[in-house]
Amino acid sequence: MKILHTSDWHLGRSFGTYGLLPDQEAFLEWFISTATNNEVDLVVIAGDIYDRTTPPAEAMRAFDHAVSALTTAGIDVAAIAGNHDSPDRVTMYHSVTERNGLILRGGYPDGADVVVRQYDDGPLAIAAIPFLDPRMIPPTFTLLDPADGPFSHNAVATACAEAARGAIPDGMRSLAIAHGFIAGGQGSDSERTPVAVIGGSDHIGAQVFEGFSYTALGHLHRPQTVRGLDHIRYSGTPLAYSFSETEPKSVVMVSMDSKGSCQTELIPVPVGRPVRTLTDSFENLMASDPDDHSLIRIQLTDTTAVRNAKRRLEDVFGHIVELKLLSLGTPGATPAEPNANLEASLAEQVKDFLETASGLSADLDQFDLVIDALTEAGADVGPVAEVRASIAVDGDSTEGVAA
Ligand SMILES: [Mn+2]
C-alpha cells in the first residue's frame, strides 16, 4: 500500500505581511493530484493543520476542499491535532467523517486510540497520537496516575504509545502518527514552543515509537529522519514559514508491504516561494538582479537611515517581508553602554545618542533633523554651532567612535 505523509500545513498563516493562503491552496491542488496520480491509499497529516486554534473560515474551507477531494477519490485521510490546533475543533463531526475515510484525532480522549483500516494487501493498524499538553491532563485520563505528576511530554507520549501498541492486533503492520519534538531533531525558527521549556523538557525520546512499522511525525519544519531511521520521519512543512527554512520542501511517499516493511521517497513540492536573506548596502541592493519571486528579508548595512528604503527596494524585490537597518542593533552584538549625560546640553545628548545608536560618528544631516524637530517642539537645545562643529570634525575620521 502507499501512504503519503505530510504535516504542518499551518493553513491561514501569514509570513510578516504576506498572506500565505494562495500558496497553501496551490500546494493543496498539487498534493491532491500527487495523491490521486500515484494511487495513494492513505494520506497522513501529522498535526498543525491550522496555524491557530481559531482558524479563519478560508483556511477551514481549504482543508475541507482537500479532504473532500481526497476521500472522494477513495483515499483515506488520517489527521491529528498539533500544538497550534484546537483538538475540539479539529475533531468536530469525526464520527460522521470517519464513515467516509476521514480519521480525525485530537486531545486526551484520543491519546491511545487505534483504528484498523482494510486495504487491498491487508489491514493496517493506525495509532494516531495527537499533540497533548502535559499541563492539561484531564482527570479522565487513566494512563498516568496524577499522584506521579507533574509529567513531561515524553511521559505522556510514552504512556499513549505503549497503550496503543497493546491495542494493535498481534502481527498486524502499524502506523504511528504523532506531533512533537523528538530528541535529537533539528528545529528551525518557526516551531513556536508550546510550553515554557527548560532544558529540553518538551523532548520526546525516539524509543517511544519502537515497534511501529512507520512513524509519521509532525512539528519540526525541516524534513528529516529520526536517528537515521528511515521509517521514523518528519515530512517537514510544505512551504517555508521562516527565514531559516531555506532547504527544499517535500512530502514523503511511503510504500509499505503487507508485513510492514517500508520504502520511502521524498517528493519535492514544486509550488510556493523560497526565502532569501540579503545583507548589503541600500545602494548595492538597488543595483542587484530583480527578484519578484522569493520572500525577502533585507538587512541593510548602511550606517545612516535610508529614507523610504522599503518602498524604493520594492522596485527590485517584489515581496519584502522584513527590512531592518543592522546598525540599529545587530542580533548578538553587545549594545553600547547607555551614557546619557544629563548635565550636557540637549544638543550634546543628541550627538551622543546618534553615536550610540549607529556605533559610528554622528551624521550631520540626522543631527540637524533631530535638532530642528526639538526646536520646533519648543525645547531648549543649548548651543548648537559648537556641537555641529565637533560632528563635522569627527565625521572626517573614517574610524568609528564606538567599537
Ligand atoms: Mn507544531
Side-chain angles (χ1 to χ4, degrees):
M1 68 176 293
K2 280 187 186 168
I3 301 168
L4 193 55
H5 166 198
T6 177
S7 77
D8 296 85
W9 287 0
H10 289 273
L11 298 176
R13 190 180 180 106
S14 296
F15 200 150
T17 51
Y18 183 80
L20 285 160
L21 199 62
D23 293 10
Q24 293 175 326
E25 285 168 339
F27 160 73
L28 293 177
E29 288 312 319
W30 169 81
F31 185 77
I32 294 162
S33 7
T34 302
T36 45
N37 294 344
N38 286 283
E39 297 180 341
V40 162
D41 298 286
L42 169 65
V43 157
V44 174
I45 310 163
D48 286 354
I49 298 165
Y50 300 114
D51 195 50
R52 281 185 270 148
T53 51
T54 51
E58 312 87 77
M60 298 183 73
R61 223 173 280 133
F63 183 68
D64 173 64
H65 168 69
V67 295
S68 299
L70 291 165
T71 52
T72 301
I75 300 168
D76 282 351
V77 179
I80 58 170
N83 57 306
H84 284 246
D85 297 307
S86 154
D88 291 327
R89 287 191 173 84
V90 162
T91 56
M92 195 68 71
Y93 315 121
H94 71 101
S95 56
V96 179
T97 65
E98 200 138 324
R99 283 179 233 142
N100 292 309
L102 173 58
I103 301 155
L104 299 167
R105 295 291 182 267
Y108 276 90
D110 293 344
D113 181 79
V114 173
V115 59
V116 174
R117 305 286 292 194
Q118 296 295 331
Y119 295 98
D120 287 347
D121 59 347
L124 172 74
I126 303 170
I129 305 169
F131 171 80
L132 300 170
D133 187 336
R135 297 168 306 172
M136 312 286 279
I137 300 178
T140 47
F141 187 71
T142 53
L143 299 179
L144 291 169
D145 183 348
D148 299 336
F151 296 103
S152 63
H153 283 268
N154 188 57
V156 173
T158 303
C160 290
E162 260 172 28
R165 251 192 303 267
I168 295 171
D170 264 353
M172 190 181 289
R173 62 183 173 173
S174 59
L175 165 72
I177 312 171
H179 188 95
F181 201 127
I182 307 303
Q186 200 190 2
S188 69
D189 289 345
S190 48
E191 296 90 3
R192 249 179 266 160
T193 305
V195 289
V197 166
I198 300 157
S201 70
D202 66 333
H203 288 192
I204 296 169
Q207 71 284 353
V208 169
F209 303 105
E210 260 167 32
F212 293 101
S213 310
Y214 183 80
T215 300
L217 295 168
H219 188 55
L220 298 186
H221 287 194
R222 296 173 203 268
Q224 56 197 288
T225 58
V226 170
R227 291 186 181 166
L229 298 170
D230 194 47
H231 68 289
I232 307 181
R233 274 186 180 272
Y234 284 96
S235 62
T237 52
L239 302 169
Y241 290 146
S242 70
F243 283 105
S244 65
E245 295 176 53
T246 49
E247 76 287 345
K249 295 300 183 178
S250 50
V251 296
V252 189
M253 182 71 79
V254 185
S255 302
M256 188 188 279
D257 72 13
S258 57
K259 297 204 160 49
S261 287
C262 295
Q263 285 197 315
T264 59
E265 182 199 349
L266 297 189
I267 305 182
V269 175
V271 298
R273 297 179 184 278
V275 291
R276 292 177 71 193
T277 300
L278 304 172
T279 307
D280 210 336
S281 68
F282 177 77
E283 203 182 9
N284 285 348
L285 288 168
M286 284 301 285
S288 53
D289 289 339
D291 181 349
D292 198 30
H293 181 55
S294 315
L295 299 176
I296 308 268
R297 167 168 64 179
I298 289 177
Q299 301 179 327
L300 287 178
T301 54
D302 301 68
T303 50
T304 57
V306 183
R307 283 180 210 201
N308 299 320
K310 183 155 185 277
R311 194 170 50 69
R312 290 156 73 191
L313 284 164
E314 272 165 351
D315 290 342
V316 184
F317 306 105
H319 305 284
I320 300 173
V321 172
E322 196 183 303
L323 182 140
K324 68 175 165 195
L325 197 56
L326 278 186
S327 62
L328 293 182
T330 310
T334 313
E337 280 295 316
N339 59 348
N341 175 7
L342 299 178
E343 302 288 298
S345 71
L346 202 47
E348 280 286 357
Q349 290 182 46
V350 168
K351 180 193 170 199
D352 284 350
F353 169 76
L354 291 173
E355 287 171 351
T356 306
S358 67
L360 297 167
S361 310
D363 177 80
L364 212 47
D365 288 344
Q366 289 186 10
F367 176 79
D368 289 344
L369 201 65
V370 180
I371 293 298
D372 286 352
L374 288 168
T375 310
E376 210 168 296
D380 176 12
V381 294
V384 171
E386 213 173 290
V387 184
R388 278 194 101 244
S390 74
I391 291 174
V393 171
D394 286 348
D396 287 342
S397 158
T398 49
E399 272 177 78
V401 294

